[in-house]
Amino acid sequence: MAQKPKKTAAYDLKAADRKRSMLIRIALTATVIVIAAALFGYIVLYGKKPADGEAKAIRVATSNVITKDGTSEPKAVISMYEDFLCPVCRRFEGEYGPTITQLINSGAVAVDYYMVAILDSPATQNYSSRAGAAAYCVADEDKTPNKEVFSRFHAALYAQQPSETGTVFPDDAALVETARQAGAVGDVPNCINSGRYTDMVSDLAGNTGTRATPTVKINGEDYQYSTPDALVAKIKEIVGDVPGLTAAPSQPVPPPPPSMPAPAPAP
């Protein structure tokens, strides 16, 4: 019996193309997953840096702050533009800080802190921008009422303010330690060490038109401060009479710590 001739195996081009396309899709999907995982890990570890031109404020207010009728917007907002290396800011903190804290705690005002860096330079090791950026890092993780951790860190940096004509300034490790002592937790060390907010603080004076520190604004209008009593009177004009609200005694500002000597050159 004659045998039927064997058929030559046909090469299915369409099937091969489908297989190739599937392999390509799998490879692309895997690549996207790897990139997404890496990006997610970076964001978790270092956080998202502010966009160019962003002018972020650190708001400190109570949950019962007096608001405009029918809104959740505070009736009186004090905006503070400060540089942690500015000696006048340090004196302002001693004279007005207790009264501003009292205004916040009474619910009379919300306070927006903008940390600027008008005194940045290679000679100051860019301390202004690094310290200001650290304050934003602390505020980000501060879940306490009235931003108590940020307030302690803010006070500590002024208490430890180096001389702007000094030769040695606190490094990032020192800022991390001050934040820890103030009670900061969470991602603060990574945020400070990665410089998440350094560029924003460095550009903030230009982006907000700040030419001197401290600059004080009330509801967006420049305020020429004179005395704590006058500041309280101005706020009462806006929000009305708040029972028991008076200016608080100023806190004596101790002299700045002496400048540390420059490290001796290595032998």
Side-chain angles (χ1 to χ4, degrees):
M1 182 174 178
Q3 292 182 348
K4 292 182 179 180
K6 293 182 179 180
K7 292 183 178 180
T8 305
Y11 184 72
D12 191 337
L13 291 176
K14 291 184 178 179
D17 286 342
R18 286 197 297 271
K19 185 177 181 181
R20 186 181 302 109
S21 297
M22 182 180 296
L23 291 173
I24 291 173
R25 286 198 296 272
I26 291 172
L28 289 174
T29 301
T31 301
V32 169
I33 291 173
V34 170
I35 293 174
L39 180 59
F40 178 78
Y42 178 86
I43 291 174
V44 169
L45 182 60
Y46 297 108
K48 183 180 178 182
K49 290 193 175 185
D52 289 344
E54 186 172 346
K56 182 177 180 178
I58 298 170
R59 172 155 291 185
V60 181
T62 62
S63 58
N64 64 337
V65 63
I66 298 170
T67 57
K68 297 179 181 178
D69 292 341
T71 75
S72 59
E73 184 180 351
K75 203 167 187 180
V77 177
I78 300 176
S79 299
M80 304 284 303
Y81 299 79
E82 304 178 357
D83 185 323
F84 279 123
L85 192 56
C86 162
V88 180
C89 295
R90 188 171 185 272
R91 291 197 296 272
F92 180 93
E93 172 67 13
E95 185 175 358
Y96 286 84
T99 295
I100 291 173
T101 297
Q102 191 160 291
L103 287 168
I104 293 170
N105 292 341
S106 71
V109 303
V111 176
D112 286 346
Y113 289 91
Y114 294 87
M115 309 317 303
V116 301
I118 62 173
L119 294 177
D120 251 2
S121 72
T124 64
Q125 301 167 21
N126 293 329
Y127 175 75
S128 294
S129 58
R130 292 189 296 104
Y136 282 97
C137 292
V138 170
D140 275 356
E141 297 290 334
D142 188 357
K143 310 305 180 188
T144 61
N146 303 1
K147 295 284 186 187
E148 294 168 5
V149 175
F150 162 76
S151 296
R152 287 195 294 268
F153 183 73
H154 180 270
L157 288 192
Y158 279 125
Q160 302 168 13
Q161 184 185 74
S163 169
E164 61 180 309
T165 59
T167 56
V168 177
F169 297 83
D171 59 11
D172 290 347
L175 292 171
V176 168
E177 176 59 19
T178 300
R180 185 193 67 77
Q181 292 177 5
V185 296
D187 191 47
V188 171
N190 285 332
C191 180
I192 293 175
N193 290 324
S194 68
R196 184 182 305 168
Y197 288 106
T198 304
D199 289 342
M200 185 193 77
V201 173
S202 180
D203 296 338
L204 202 57
N207 291 335
T208 58
T210 304
R211 297 183 179 180
T213 53
T215 289
V216 181
K217 296 183 180 183
I218 298 179
N219 290 344
E221 299 292 329
D222 287 335
Y223 175 71
Q224 299 300 321
Y225 55 89
S226 55
T227 66
D229 285 318
L231 175 60
V232 171
K234 176 66 176 179
I235 296 304
K236 286 184 176 181
E237 288 177 10
I238 299 171
V239 303
D241 189 24
V242 178
L245 182 59
T246 59
S250 299
Q251 292 180 344
V253 180
S259 298
M260 295 174 60

